[in-house]
Amino acid sequence: MQSQDVAPRPAPASGSASDPVVDVEQAEAALVEHYPRLVRLAYLVLPPGLGRNRRVLTAHALTQRALPRGRTATPVIPAQSDGREVDPGYAFVRLQVVRTALEAGLPLRRKAWPKRSQLPPLLPQVWGLRLFPRSGGADELALDQRLSALSGPARAAYVLRGLEKLPDSDVRGLLTAAGVADVDAALDEADSAQADSAQAEYALLDSPEFDPCSLQARPTDLMRRRQHMKAALAAAAAVAVCGALLGMPGDGWGPDGAAAPSYAQNPAARAALDPALLLKVPAAAWESSARTDFSVWPARGDLTGDSALLRRALAVWARPGETVQVFATPGTPSGGPSGPPQLLYAGTVDNARVVILYDGLRIVRYAEPRDSTKGAALDFARVDGAGRAEASAVVLGRADGNVRYLTAPWVTKAADRDLLKPGSDATDLALTGGATAPMAGPAQSGPCTSWNVLQLTDASGTRLLTDLGELVPARLTTGRPGSVKDASGAGALRAWAPYACSLGAMRSAGVRSVNAWSYAAQPLPDASGTAEWVCTRAETWQGGGERVLAQFHTPGGRYGAVAAKAENVPACGAKDPQVLAGVLWKSGAGTWYLLAAGSRGTSSISASGGVRAMANGNLLAAKAKQGAQAELKGTLEDGRAVSGLR
């Protein structure tokens, strides 16, 4: 969602004697009475990219923080569609919920403190469990995908129309009071997301799929949790020792722009901060090296000889000051270098001076404004174990929705390709000293009408990389887990096209690669053609936090629908390629079915709960009722059991 969608909150006008007045008791009574509805409203307006567990907790936190601090004059109270006035207490807390839910979707800005609603909630918190609403049917999944493609204000307009039954005039007033800058654009965008039967679709907003008060609970990764506890104890001990050492008196190492004012006095620390000791690899070293990774990248850019810039970059890395914006991908340590790192780039990129360094484990990007040393930013990305494919490019900079990349020295050609248009040609990008010309990045908000990826060619072939908001782009592959290949051929491009927009759910997760695997084709009932089942799995650099989506694509549909999601599971991966998922689907004849498909090697599938059915083989189709909930179980040819993704 773009930051301009929501304007800064206007200062409240001084109330007159005729203004409705809401005190804490009145607002609390309304909040308690309508709590489930307000939490559902917050959940639907929050950006889906937060993930279902965080959306649930954030929706509850925002609703619980909606009470006024004292007697407060409310804005104009929107009327219901039947003309009935809304209780002033409810109108007030509803406005607060919508306002803070919109703020939560704003991107974090480097030069501004985050709002409270943009941060993960301190309370409520549930340790050791993941909470999420029950999964709905195909209609709910389709609606969820359409809502996720809308901007925050448009999503709020849609939900206020459908859930609160507000006419457009009252939606306009409420969004204006919530700080939305362009309400008319939000209403128009919400219109574009409506299906032919808007009222039937609005009814889906009351589905259990969108009820954050009726939840399922699953444990987090128990083994990883135990490992993290041990690591936390070890880290606490190390911090205590380092704190004692750093607290000892000393003179510090010297002024370095945005860096903090002191650093350890040992020789290794000093060597790590000396720009004269930076490792600079010769330009042709990669040609004779047995390795093809970041360790053989030469130092490039027009500022590789600027000692003052390099000294500032090293000092800020070692001890970033309070004004430095620091970002690290999940699982990436953000401490200083243990010794002199390798210089990959130092140069001017658009309106910034950029330095990129590598220490064998991490890529570190330091950036400062071109005409100042204030406003510096530091980005970390974990890249241990990167091979030729993963070490093909890093992000040089982003500006105005465009991205520039620094490519590996073995890259001979770069191009820009729209993943949603597999039949169109790629657009060549100029390479200057290994840096690409700017290309449009994937859309951050609004309808997903394109998904631009970077196409690189070298002596070993062609590969696709996608920007997921991090320093190192993710590699795109296709094929059965264990034997994947780069998504570069015509068949692979056609395979990825319906699922490109689902990559938005994998942003900022430390993703190393994403594989799309078509694991089943299912003939649809009522002679409706053949549907495709695809599993997309994101592997991460930290080796945990993998995200798996089972997607269902019907004939003639442009996009695949997400049928099931999971995190930290081996399904659809090289260690356990088995996958099973199901979806409720409505045929053209108006009949509802439970459809399920397992990967190759599934000998039978059974459904229990709201739908009871069984089928031999890896496909199941059974008549069902709209909204039915079913539990899927599969049996593999070797006798092992497999559960359906949820």
Side-chain angles (χ1 to χ4, degrees), residues 223-612:
M223 291 298 294
R224 189 172 300 280
R225 197 165 71 201
R226 184 180 300 172
Q227 294 169 358
H228 287 177
M229 183 61 72
K230 293 179 180 178
L233 292 174
V239 168
V241 173
C242 291
L245 292 175
L246 292 175
M248 297 176 68
D251 297 329
W253 193 69
D256 292 291
S262 64
Y263 192 59
Q265 295 296 302
N266 62 74
R270 292 196 177 201
L273 298 180
D274 188 348
L277 298 180
L278 280 172
L279 176 62
K280 298 180 181 179
V281 174
W286 68 272
E287 297 178 4
S288 58
S289 173
R291 302 179 62 173
T292 48
D293 56 19
F294 290 112
S295 67
V296 293
W297 277 36
R300 288 171 287 181
D302 58 331
L303 299 177
T304 55
D306 189 335
S307 296
L309 171 64
L310 299 178
R311 183 182 297 277
R312 286 196 300 274
L314 291 167
V316 172
W317 177 4
R319 42 189 172 91
E322 294 181 356
T323 62
V324 177
Q325 299 292 320
V326 180
F327 301 90
T329 58
T332 305
S334 56
S338 58
Q342 177 183 344
L343 177 64
L344 303 186
Y345 182 87
T348 304
V349 181
D350 296 322
N351 292 317
R353 291 188 290 259
V354 174
V355 178
I356 298 180
L357 303 161
Y358 171 65
D359 69 349
L361 171 66
R362 301 163 293 177
I363 293 288
V364 180
R365 177 183 180 271
Y366 170 81
E368 64 182 26
R370 191 172 184 175
D371 55 356
S372 172
T373 60
K374 297 181 180 179
L378 197 63
D379 293 271
F380 294 86
R382 184 172 173 176
V383 292
D384 50 315
R388 186 185 189 100
E390 294 88 356
S392 293
V394 298
V395 172
L396 270 180
R398 297 184 179 90
D400 301 323
N402 294 324
V403 189
R404 289 182 186 269
Y405 294 94
L406 179 67
T407 62
W410 51 83
V411 170
T412 57
K413 183 178 180 182
D416 175 6
R417 175 179 289 281
D418 186 352
L419 206 54
L420 287 179
K421 300 175 182 177
S424 62
D425 293 332
T427 303
D428 289 344
L429 292 173
L431 280 175
T432 305
T436 69
M439 60 171 278
Q444 298 289 320
S445 63
C448 181
T449 57
S450 65
W451 192 277
N452 295 315
V453 296
L454 177 66
Q455 179 175 291
L456 298 180
T457 302
D458 59 36
S460 66
T462 300
R463 59 185 55 91
L464 298 183
L465 304 172
T466 184
D467 178 21
L468 295 181
E470 297 176 338
L471 195 53
V472 179
R475 177 190 180 194
L476 298 182
T477 61
T478 58
R480 183 178 177 84
S483 57
V484 303
K485 58 184 179 180
D486 283 297
S488 57
L493 292 173
R494 288 193 299 270
W496 255 111
Y499 313 104
C501 291
S502 66
L503 288 167
M506 299 171 184
R507 282 191 173 101
S508 303
V511 174
R512 177 175 185 156
S513 64
V514 187
N515 184 59
W517 172 38
S518 178
Y519 70 88
Q522 183 170 29
L524 295 173
D526 300 338
S528 301
T530 301
E532 181 184 40
W533 287 89
V534 166
C535 180
T536 52
R537 179 182 175 91
E539 299 286 352
T540 65
W541 287 100
Q542 61 178 324
E546 296 87 354
R547 300 187 179 187
V548 179
L549 302 179
Q551 302 192 62
F552 178 74
H553 185 217
T554 55
R558 184 178 183 184
Y559 305 109
V562 177
K565 306 176 184 179
E567 293 184 18
N568 297 313
V569 296
C572 197
K575 291 185 177 179
D576 186 6
Q578 303 301 332
V579 60
L580 171 63
V583 68
L584 283 178
W585 174 79
K586 185 179 180 181
S587 72
T591 305
W592 283 92
Y593 291 90
L594 170 66
L595 304 179
S599 53
R600 187 177 63 194
T602 304
S603 61
S604 65
I605 300 174
S606 63
S608 59
V611 181
R612 294 187 174 274

Side-chain angles (χ1 to χ4, degrees), residues 184-229:
D184 290 332
L187 291 170
D188 291 342
E189 188 181 347
D191 288 335
S192 69
Q194 289 181 353
D196 295 335
S197 178
Q199 294 305 318
E201 196 169 79
Y202 284 154
L204 294 175
L205 296 175
D206 288 315
S207 163
E209 169 85 8
F210 308 116
D211 183 6
C213 290
S214 177
L215 301 171
Q216 299 183 97
R218 294 289 186 273
T220 54
D221 189 321
L222 301 178
M223 291 298 294
R224 189 172 300 280
R225 197 165 71 201
R226 184 180 300 172
Q227 294 169 358
H228 287 177
M229 183 61 72

Side-chain angles (χ1 to χ4, degrees), residues 23-38:
D23 58 25
V24 176
E25 291 78 9
Q26 188 178 6
E28 183 180 20
L31 189 149
V32 172
E33 180 181 357
H34 301 288
Y35 186 81
R37 187 176 192 85
L38 290 166

